[in-house]
Amino acid sequence: MSLSRSEEMHRLTENVYKTIMEQFNPSLRNFIAMGKNYEKALAGVTFAAKGYFDALVKMGELASESQGSKELGDVLFQMAEVHRQIQNQLEETLKSFHNELLTQLEQKVELDSRYLSAALKKYQTEQRSKGDALDKCQAELKKLRKKSQGSKNPQKYSDKELQYIDAISNKQGELENYVSDGYKTALTEERRRFCFLVEKQCAVAKNSAAYHSKGKELLAQKLPLWQQACADPNKIPDRAVQLMQQMANSNGSILPSALSASKSNLVISDPIPGAKPLASAT
């Protein structure tokens, strides 16, 4: 590796560290801030959902008190319970999002700033030290050659010159190896940070998949039964018909044929079967 190539790789190494510190870490802090906003919004949804399903239970209680809609009250109770289970799974996803992603990333980015600054400083100090040692050796060789050129007996400097040439070669090799290793280390540091982010996001995705899978499983089991329960709004349950028949048999004022009539066939202006018109005022 030539010296100019070594210098180019040195600049690349510094740029990788600076990119992590000046671009990756600020972007990660912004990601964490947006994540906290997202978490807050989801927590608000969770709180609102509890109120929503409490209200659904109240509607179920109201329906369960009715002779004509009791089974629909049971359906509303089931709906509230199923959605409560789905909501519980969402809360687990929220915990994972907070603990496995936001908290760990926040801790990582705070420690990372100090670590990277120290790592870059250590690399630069060592690279400069090796570069200075090489420059010093090259300067000594230049002085020796100048002295040799002005000497009447230049042969006496040849051994010393060979020693300097050998030393320069070794020091240049050390510098090139150090810079090459430094570049590899910098790229590894950068990759490790992206891998950490992807790993934590995968943990959140896994919990999110469990949440959606749980919801799909529960709803797939119950939804057809719920749809069947409300398929015929005009159907009066048998127990309600029997109750009305019993009442008719006991007082004889209500006709069984009238009880089996569909309520949907009546409008406000229709006369109620069996009712007598009011006598006109005299």
Side-chain angles (χ1 to χ4, degrees):
M1 186 188 298
S2 66
L3 192 58
S4 59
R5 183 67 184 275
S6 176
E7 291 171 349
E8 180 185 354
M9 189 167 288
H10 169 63
R11 285 194 296 272
L12 289 173
T13 302
E14 288 184 317
N15 286 339
V16 171
Y17 278 110
K18 289 176 181 177
T19 297
I20 298 173
M21 290 188 291
E22 297 173 7
Q23 295 183 38
F24 178 85
N25 281 347
S27 296
L28 188 60
R29 286 190 179 93
N30 180 65
F31 175 77
I32 293 168
M34 293 301 102
K36 287 181 177 180
N37 289 343
Y38 181 43
E39 179 186 29
K40 186 177 180 181
L42 287 178
V45 169
T46 300
F47 179 78
K50 289 179 179 177
Y52 175 78
F53 292 116
D54 284 346
L56 189 60
V57 169
K58 293 291 185 184
M59 297 302 296
E61 290 173 350
L62 186 63
S64 68
E65 294 171 359
S66 166
Q67 289 297 330
S69 304
K70 183 176 176 56
E71 77 281 4
L72 293 173
D74 294 338
V75 168
L76 290 171
F77 289 146
Q78 290 176 19
M79 286 180 165
E81 175 58 23
V82 165
H83 283 89
R84 184 189 65 78
Q85 292 180 40
I86 295 173
Q87 198 63 33
N88 287 343
Q89 190 67 48
L90 176 59
E91 289 177 15
E92 289 301 312
T93 302
L94 262 176
K95 289 178 185 176
S96 166
F97 184 74
H98 180 83
N99 296 330
E100 298 185 36
L101 183 70
L102 295 182
T103 299
Q104 294 201 33
L105 288 179
E106 199 164 25
Q107 292 172 350
K108 188 81 172 176
V109 75
E110 292 307 319
L111 293 171
D112 202 45
S113 297
R114 294 191 294 271
Y115 168 79
L116 280 176
S117 181
L120 175 59
K121 185 176 181 180
K122 179 181 177 183
Y123 165 78
Q124 289 173 324
T125 300
E126 188 67 20
Q127 187 272 343
R128 192 179 301 111
S129 174
K130 291 183 180 298
D132 289 345
L134 176 61
D135 290 343
K136 183 178 179 181
C137 207
Q138 288 173 330
E140 291 293 334
L141 176 60
K142 187 177 181 180
K143 283 175 17 180
L144 182 69
R145 283 176 172 171
K146 188 175 182 180
K147 188 183 293 186
S148 173
Q149 289 172 358
S151 172
K152 295 180 180 180
N153 186 16
Q155 268 316 102
K156 70 176 182 178
Y157 297 103
S158 59
D159 289 343
K160 192 70 173 176
E161 183 178 353
L162 289 175
Q163 290 176 8
Y164 275 123
I165 291 173
D166 187 52
I168 289 171
S169 178
N170 289 335
K171 291 184 183 302
Q172 185 168 341
E174 288 177 7
L175 176 61
E176 289 174 352
N177 289 337
Y178 183 76
V179 170
S180 179
D181 289 344
Y183 185 51
K184 181 181 178 181
T185 299
L187 291 177
T188 302
E189 292 286 359
E190 181 184 58
R191 182 176 174 80
R192 282 177 55 232
R193 279 151 185 80
F194 281 111
C195 281
F196 185 79
L197 175 60
V198 171
E199 177 191 348
K200 297 308 170 187
Q201 194 64 43
C202 282
V204 171
K206 183 178 178 181
N207 279 280
S208 180
Y211 160 68
H212 290 290
S213 177
K214 181 74 171 179
K216 182 179 179 181
E217 177 188 351
L218 290 170
L219 292 173
Q221 291 173 358
K222 296 291 186 180
L223 188 56
L225 298 175
W226 297 342
Q227 290 173 320
Q228 184 180 352
C230 65
D232 187 359
N234 299 322
K235 181 181 178 182
I236 302 297
D238 292 342
R239 65 177 175 275
V241 173
Q242 291 171 3
L243 177 61
M244 288 187 287
Q245 287 174 341
Q246 290 171 6
M247 293 172 63
N249 292 335
S250 65
N251 58 35
S253 63
I254 304 178
L255 298 176
S257 59
L259 296 174
S260 61
S262 172
K263 290 184 179 180
S264 64
N265 293 328
L266 299 177
V267 295
I268 293 174
S269 61
D270 289 338
I272 299 173
K276 296 181 181 180
L278 293 174
S280 58
T282 56

